[in-house]
Amino acid sequence: MATTLPPLRKKPTEAEIDAVINKGGSATKKVDRSLEGDDTVKFFNLRLTSGVLNKIAGFREKRPRKLASPKLGISTHDWILEAIEEKMQREGRKYSKQ
């Protein structure tokens, strides 16, 4: 098998470097937020203490499992989503009476 050396790279001149730097760019495209529906998925980070996660794990362990399944009945993610939904329903009932 024949091998060859890689091609020699031409070192850019200061003028070429300045040309690239000064070329600039275009602004990012603006997104029209009014077109997004209520079902658009948004991502964010959630920081919980290990104590809170341990309590959640305890609640998850009490949920019924599928027959012959080693997995818990609900994921931590789904448990948190259920908790948020329940809270939103309670708040909706509480503030809709006023």
Side-chain angles (χ1 to χ4, degrees), residues 63-74:
R63 287 276 182 103
R65 299 173 188 231
K66 293 179 183 173
L67 292 176
S69 175
K71 292 183 177 182
L72 295 178
I74 186 170

Side-chain angles (χ1 to χ4, degrees), residues 40-57:
T40 302
V41 176
K42 300 288 184 174
F43 296 93
F44 67 97
N45 291 325
L46 178 65
R47 292 177 182 88
L48 299 172
T49 64
S50 58
V52 169
L53 287 174
N54 289 336
K55 286 181 182 179
I56 291 172

Side-chain angles (χ1 to χ4, degrees), residues 12-25:
T13 65
E14 287 293 321
E16 292 171 329
I17 293 171
D18 287 338
V20 169
I21 292 172
N22 294 327
K23 179 175 71 169

Side-chain angles (χ1 to χ4, degrees), residues 7-97:
L8 294 175
R9 287 187 173 176
K10 180 185 124 189
K11 191 168 186 168
T13 65
E14 287 293 321
E16 292 171 329
I17 293 171
D18 287 338
V20 169
I21 292 172
N22 294 327
K23 179 175 71 169
S26 61
T28 59
K29 185 172 74 171
K30 289 189 176 187
V31 176
D32 186 6
R33 299 284 182 205
S34 65
L35 299 177
E36 294 180 357
D38 286 343
D39 58 349
T40 302
V41 176
K42 300 288 184 174
F43 296 93
F44 67 97
N45 291 325
L46 178 65
R47 292 177 182 88
L48 299 172
T49 64
S50 58
V52 169
L53 287 174
N54 289 336
K55 286 181 182 179
I56 291 172
F59 294 135
R60 289 177 53 225
E61 288 172 2
K62 294 178 180 165
R63 287 276 182 103
R65 299 173 188 231
K66 293 179 183 173
L67 292 176
S69 175
K71 292 183 177 182
L72 295 178
I74 186 170
S75 69
T76 303
H77 177 265
D78 289 342
W79 191 95
I80 292 171
L81 288 178
E82 278 186 6
I84 291 170
E85 184 65 33
E86 288 175 15
K87 177 67 174 178
M88 287 173 27
Q89 288 174 1
R90 281 196 312 266
E91 292 283 318
R93 287 190 301 268
K94 180 179 177 181
Y95 293 116
S96 66
K97 294 178 184 178

